[in-house]
Amino acid sequence: LFTLDRDIGLPGFVTIPVGTEGFRQGNRAEFWQSNYVVRVEGADATTDELARVVSQNIFGRSRKPSVSALLPPANIVRGSERYVVDPSGVSRELKLDAETLGFDDSVEIATADYDIDGKKAHLVLLMYPTQHVAKKYADQWDTSAPDEAPLRKRVGALVAIIRGSKDPGMAK
């Protein structure tokens, strides 16, 4: 929910040091911590202070989904990371058919934008429950879109796909 609400491209977006990760957009402050996403609306100073107090009283571990931890940190556009749990979370800009990604097979998806030498691209990581399930989907893509093979790679249960660039060097 946090990554769906966060849009670094909107005017006035700023990150705030609250919870595990937080941001402010206009009169709204939002952060996530443990299993909670908290949204507070109102004047800047008031919402920031209330968010800080609420954050201090939330117990439990704050951990990003495991597939999110596999996004390479080099050249990432800060704040662009997204975690996708169902087909509706697959953005149109990725130009992927959500029905072919494997939500019925419990895929976990993390995406992020990257800027490499002024060129932009999207990285999509798909983590499947087993390497056999990942191979099934990778084989389907190899058959249906063989020209995009240099922009895909499977390692065990993880499949990486580059979108927004056709440059194999950038994909590598």
Side-chain angles (χ1 to χ4, degrees):
L1 181 60
F2 176 83
T3 63
L4 291 175
D5 285 349
R6 180 184 61 194
D7 187 347
I8 62 172
L10 291 176
F13 176 92
V14 293
T15 60
I16 57 174
V18 176
T20 302
E21 188 175 358
F23 69 88
R24 164 173 292 297
Q25 174 63 47
N27 70 339
R28 174 181 60 146
E30 191 165 329
F31 71 92
W32 76 273
Q33 186 171 332
S34 186
N35 292 329
Y36 301 95
V37 173
V38 178
R39 178 187 296 173
V40 182
E41 295 184 16
D44 291 2
T46 306
T47 56
D48 287 355
E49 180 60 21
L50 180 57
R52 187 185 62 72
V53 169
V54 170
S55 172
Q56 290 173 347
N57 289 287
I58 293 176
F59 299 103
R61 266 176 78 176
S62 294
R63 194 174 61 176
K64 291 183 178 181
S66 59
V67 69
S68 297
L70 300 174
L71 290 166
N75 302 310
I76 196 167
V77 175
R78 185 176 162 98
S80 67
E81 313 93 303
R82 300 275 186 260
Y83 179 67
V84 182
V85 294
D86 64 32
S88 68
V90 178
S91 69
R92 287 190 178 124
E93 68 185 11
L94 296 178
K95 297 179 182 163
L96 291 170
D97 180 1
E99 300 304 318
T100 66
L101 299 179
F103 287 102
D104 290 340
D105 285 322
S106 302
V107 68
E108 292 183 29
I109 301 175
T111 69
D113 298 336
Y114 286 82
D115 186 344
I116 301 171
D117 298 326
K119 298 176 186 174
K120 303 228 184 281
H122 307 285
L123 174 61
V124 181
L125 295 181
L126 301 104
M127 180 65 82
Y128 292 94
T130 69
Q131 63 183 353
H132 303 292
V133 175
K135 183 177 182 336
K136 174 179 91 171
Y137 285 96
D139 289 349
Q140 289 173 0
W141 294 318
D142 287 345
T143 301
S144 65
D147 56 323
E148 293 182 3
L151 304 174
R152 279 190 307 270
K153 183 174 183 174
R154 182 182 72 84
V155 177
L158 182 69
V159 177
I161 302 173
I162 299 296
R163 306 307 284 174
S165 174
K166 300 274 186 202
D167 182 359
M170 177 181 264
K172 188 172 172 127

